[in-house]
Amino acid sequence: MEYKFSNEVSEDTVNEKVEKKETKVYDQKPTPAFISASWSAVFIGMVSYCIGLWNATSMALNEKGYYFTILLFGLFSAVSVQKSVRDRLEGIPVTDMYYGISWFTTITSILLLVIGLWNADLELSEKGFYGMSFTLSLFAAIAVQKNTRDKKFIETSGK
């Protein structure tokens, strides 16, 4: 009788572990319709948010600057999260510090908007408008980054 001990590793087990380390191949190019929809959503979200700020007569200029800065901060942070997540999936090294900072800044931008809107002297419909246009912009920025990354990957891989 042959007994297998827990510290013995067979060749089959080693081969299975090696096979599981394969990197995923992202070989589906995004459709022009999805690319257009993503870019449209980014512009619709950003432009509507900015038009809302421009037309907000009850806000002081520094308050408008605060909300505009949060929009830019959130967009950059969301794209950074998407990039670092995708890099890790493709096996490109990303430091834990950068990955953590990306998530922290994205969550912080959302919290800053929520806190600002909670304390703002605005109608509930205005608060909802800013929240939804901000959310649309962040989601669409992630989709645009993903499309850009997928398209570039397909072009460089020659498929």
Side-chain angles (χ1 to χ4, degrees):
M1 285 180 127
E2 288 187 29
Y3 294 102
K4 288 193 174 188
F5 295 101
S6 61
N7 62 352
E8 291 181 3
V9 178
S10 66
E11 286 184 33
D12 296 335
T13 307
V14 172
N15 289 338
E16 287 176 14
K17 287 183 180 179
V18 171
E19 290 174 13
K20 289 180 183 177
K21 293 283 184 173
E22 291 180 25
T23 57
K24 292 184 179 182
V25 177
Y26 302 94
D27 59 352
Q28 292 185 334
K29 190 173 184 178
T31 63
F34 186 62
I35 292 171
S36 299
S38 300
W39 277 105
S40 297
V42 167
F43 287 122
I44 289 168
M46 287 178 58
V47 168
S48 61
Y49 187 93
C50 291
I51 289 172
L53 287 177
W54 184 268
N55 290 327
T57 56
S58 64
M59 273 191 217
L61 192 56
N62 62 339
E63 194 175 1
K64 290 179 181 183
Y66 171 80
Y67 287 113
F68 182 70
T69 303
I70 288 175
L71 176 66
L72 296 180
F73 180 51
L75 291 172
F76 180 80
S77 298
V79 168
S80 187
V81 165
Q82 198 283 333
K83 182 190 180 328
S84 58
V85 167
R86 181 67 178 267
D87 283 350
R88 283 188 166 197
L89 283 174
E90 291 180 0
I92 299 170
V94 175
T95 63
D96 289 337
M97 181 176 279
Y98 183 78
Y99 184 72
I101 288 172
S102 298
W103 274 108
F104 175 76
T105 56
T106 302
I107 293 167
T108 301
S109 68
I110 295 167
L111 284 175
L112 286 171
L113 180 75
V114 169
I115 291 167
L117 290 176
W118 185 272
N119 293 312
D121 188 28
L122 299 171
E123 296 291 325
L124 282 177
S125 59
E126 289 178 291
K127 291 179 181 184
F129 169 78
Y130 288 117
M132 292 308 295
S133 58
F134 181 81
T135 305
L136 173 66
S137 299
L138 257 60
F139 176 77
I142 292 169
V144 166
Q145 167 64 14
K146 180 195 175 307
N147 291 340
T148 304
R149 185 77 175 253
D150 289 346
K151 191 174 173 185
K152 184 70 174 173
F153 181 81
I154 298 299
E155 289 172 359
T156 57
S157 67
K159 291 186 179 184

